[in-house]
Amino acid sequence: MSAPNIETIVSLSKRRGFVYPSSDIYGGLGSAWDYGPMGIELYNNVKQAWWRWMVYDRDDIEGLDSSIILNRLVWKYSGHEDTFSDPLIDCRECNNRMRADKLELPEGQTTIAEALQAKTVKCTSCGSTNLTDPRPFNLMFRTHVGAASEDDESSLVYLRPETAQGIFINFNNVLTTSRRSLTSVVMPSISFAIGTG
């Protein structure tokens, strides 16, 4: 029997100690969850079983856990800083936010800009045609490192938006310390990383 809605699942998970909404006593934080006593046990068991299967049981994989905060240059030179974004449109009537690249274009129009100008694209929530122009929404979480860092542009860093980047920037370190040969190892299969958070 399936649960009638997500609230039923959340309520059961909270009562049984699997997950709690993060910052629950202050109204919560959307899409953020804390593992309860049962949840962290389940999480650790799954993580350990997966690690054993992916790393210990294979001869061609080395484990790696890279930092969740990486130098800004990692994301600049990988292209993430300029391209890791979604085009967003806001409805001026109900404040609904939509991805421009996911909206259906009316017949005869080839670009979202053309459809917005002709007012043929409607808000998916209220149906209004009073929409903003698309703007890039960076998908990387920006933060600063240092005591007085907000004033220092060089302190800008991003939380790691993808786990694999740690494998790429540490490839030579893993290759050297594991004493593997490039001729016997393909780059993506040498390291295995687990995401944090």
Side-chain angles (χ1 to χ4, degrees):
M1 172 193 244
S2 62
N5 54 43
I6 190 68
E7 287 78 21
T8 303
I9 296 169
V10 170
S11 177
L12 177 65
S13 297
K14 186 176 177 181
R15 284 193 321 269
R16 300 283 169 89
F18 282 95
V19 293
Y20 310 126
S22 184
S23 312
D24 195 25
I25 63 172
Y26 294 105
L29 178 64
S31 301
W33 299 88
D34 298 331
Y35 289 109
M38 297 301 290
I40 194 62
E41 291 298 325
L42 177 62
Y43 170 84
N44 284 333
N45 287 339
V46 169
K47 181 178 170 181
Q48 289 167 3
W50 193 38
W51 192 265
R52 185 171 37 258
W53 178 62
M54 289 298 297
V55 178
Y56 296 150
D57 292 349
R58 294 183 58 157
D59 192 35
D60 60 341
I61 300 284
E62 297 293 335
L64 174 71
D65 188 0
S66 68
S67 175
I68 197 164
I69 296 176
L70 299 177
N71 187 310
R72 178 183 183 188
L73 294 178
V74 171
W75 308 114
K76 178 181 178 182
Y77 294 124
S78 69
H80 283 78
E81 196 171 53
D82 292 330
T83 61
F84 204 65
S85 63
D86 284 338
L88 294 184
I89 295 174
D90 290 324
C91 175
R92 289 188 176 106
E93 303 299 324
C94 70
N95 297 322
N96 182 35
R97 185 164 285 157
M98 300 152 281
R99 281 185 52 179
D101 58 336
K102 297 294 181 185
L103 295 173
E104 287 188 36
L105 289 173
E107 195 173 317
Q109 293 177 323
T110 57
T111 67
I112 195 70
E114 185 181 301
L116 285 169
Q117 190 173 20
K119 297 214 177 267
T120 54
V121 174
K122 294 182 179 179
C123 173
T124 56
S125 182
C126 73
S128 171
T129 57
N130 189 10
L131 306 172
T132 64
D133 288 331
R135 67 190 186 291
F137 176 75
N138 193 317
L139 299 172
M140 296 189 299
F141 189 87
R142 296 167 55 121
T143 189
H144 293 269
V145 174
S149 59
E150 285 78 26
D151 302 329
D152 182 9
E153 184 63 26
S154 68
S155 71
L156 175 64
V157 294
Y158 296 100
L159 293 184
R160 185 181 66 202
E162 62 170 280
T163 304
Q165 203 64 34
I167 295 170
F168 304 138
I169 64 174
N170 284 298
F171 177 71
N172 193 47
N173 295 331
V174 173
L175 187 66
T176 303
T177 57
S178 66
R179 298 190 176 151
R180 292 184 179 270
S181 151
L182 264 179
T183 58
S184 65
V185 176
V186 178
M187 185 173 150
S189 68
I190 191 171
S191 296
F192 176 75
I194 280 188
T196 304

